[in-house]
Amino acid sequence: GKVLVRADKAFFVGQKDVIGPLQSMITSPRWLVEPKNIDAYEVESCTRLMIASNNAHVVQAAQQSRRYFVLEVSDAHQKDFAYFDAITQQMNAGGTAAMLYDLQQRKLTGFNPMAFPDTPALNKQKELSLEPHAEWLKEQLLDADEWKPEVKKELFFSRYQTWMKEFGAAGRYPLTKAQFTQYLQHPKLFGAGIQFRPHGGKRCYRFPPLSECRRAFDRRHDVTTAWDDAIYIRIKRTRRTGSAPTVNRGRKVNSTHK
């Protein structure tokens, strides 16, 4: 097999039938080889996979992702032909041999190839890989003025259902009420103590302070969210009028999603 394989725009991140085999290719120590008209046999996998793409969302990187070392390539030398010509000339004039020598002299004592840095580009892939219900909750937490520390359970779930119908991922089924509550009560999110019933009233959720909720969201999904970013997008949820989202720079703007 190959030692280094480059996948250049080889798949679409939404292809669910690709995700499993891709993850297995990256982490499995052995491969099953099935030649035609010959019994299948296993071989040791020495493959290192490099994925290149121009898309914003490249891989399904779940929380605690351990498979991907993600870098966003600078465009500083885009179309800078002189820059790349000089590199090519240097490599053709003994540069490849010099690089091999440097690599062979590098000491690898204590080196663990799986202990790669957690980069901002990987965090971006994690955010883009959030499940629809997590994306909905993130949107609620971004809207500080609309967020309520106490809310009726039915109303909160109804808002989620409405969002899923209008903006949820195509082909994705919404959580049931029980699944929705289980998600909110996850120990790394808000915990089991958020449910309560006012005297003679309906069941409600009582959430911690907003700053604590935001930290819990990042902890649960292993992401670093720019909660205080200078750019906020106000999405007017009026599909009937077809109005486009408005972008405001330099100050916070509330989402309207009642």
Side-chain angles (χ1 to χ4, degrees):
K2 305 295 184 182
V3 174
L4 179 63
V5 175
R6 170 171 169 159
D8 192 356
K9 305 173 187 176
F11 60 90
F12 168 57
V13 72
Q15 292 177 272
K16 295 182 180 180
D17 58 328
V18 171
I19 297 174
L22 175 65
Q23 293 177 342
S24 178
M25 180 186 297
I26 294 171
T27 58
S28 178
R30 300 187 68 81
W31 278 15
L32 181 65
V33 180
E34 300 181 85
K36 190 173 182 179
N37 300 323
I38 301 177
D39 292 341
Y41 60 94
E42 286 190 345
V43 297
E44 183 180 358
S45 174
C46 298
T47 300
R48 300 296 179 263
L49 182 64
M50 180 171 65
I51 302 171
S53 176
N54 289 326
N55 296 328
H57 194 186
V58 183
V59 293
Q60 284 289 348
Q63 60 261 31
Q64 303 299 330
S65 180
R66 59 185 178 86
R67 292 182 175 89
Y68 305 110
F69 172 48
V70 186
L71 295 172
E72 189 164 349
V73 180
S74 170
D75 60 359
H77 292 285
Q78 189 175 27
K79 296 184 179 181
D80 187 349
F81 302 111
Y83 174 83
F84 290 104
D85 286 345
I87 293 177
T88 301
Q89 291 173 13
Q90 193 271 342
M91 296 302 283
N92 290 336
T96 52
M99 175 183 269
L100 177 60
Y101 177 82
D102 286 342
L103 292 174
Q104 289 176 329
Q105 302 308 307
R106 183 179 292 270
K107 296 187 182 300
L108 299 178
T109 304
F111 172 69
N112 183 354
M114 294 301 295
F116 42 75
D118 190 352
T119 64
L122 175 58
N123 183 72
K124 180 179 178 181
Q125 295 304 305
K126 290 179 180 179
E127 289 190 297
L128 291 171
S129 300
L130 288 173
E131 294 286 345
H133 55 274
E135 185 62 39
W136 173 82
L137 180 59
K138 174 184 173 181
E139 187 172 306
Q140 310 308 300
L141 294 171
L142 278 167
D143 193 351
D145 290 341
E146 288 293 324
W147 177 260
K148 299 292 188 275
E150 293 185 5
V151 62
K152 289 181 180 179
K153 188 175 177 180
E154 288 288 343
L155 176 60
F156 206 56
F157 182 63
S158 176
R159 289 178 179 174
Y160 161 70
Q161 288 181 308
T162 300
W163 184 90
M164 281 295 295
K165 289 178 182 178
E166 296 182 357
F167 301 98
R172 301 301 298 270
Y173 292 99
L175 299 181
T176 64
K177 188 183 296 184
Q179 291 171 329
F180 183 75
T181 297
Q182 288 174 0
Y183 167 66
L184 295 177
Q185 292 183 321
H186 191 281
K188 286 188 177 181
L189 197 55
F190 305 135
I194 61 171
Q195 286 197 83
F196 78 101
R197 187 195 296 271
H199 181 68
K202 295 184 177 181
R203 289 186 179 277
C204 297
Y205 292 123
R206 178 183 288 136
F207 298 103
L210 179 58
S211 59
E212 189 175 328
C213 288
R214 289 172 169 178
R215 287 194 297 270
F217 180 90
D218 283 357
R219 180 176 64 247
R220 170 68 179 89
H221 296 286
D222 191 31
V223 295
T224 303
T225 305
W227 299 112
D228 298 319
D229 200 329
I231 302 176
Y232 289 79
I233 300 178
R234 180 177 187 175
I235 303 177
K236 295 182 178 179
R237 305 199 177 282
T238 51
R239 285 201 168 182
R240 293 181 225 167
T241 61
S243 56
T246 58
V247 179
N248 290 261
R249 301 176 183 274
R251 66 184 184 87
K252 183 181 182 302
V253 177
N254 302 325
S255 300
T256 55
H257 46 80
K258 296 181 180 179

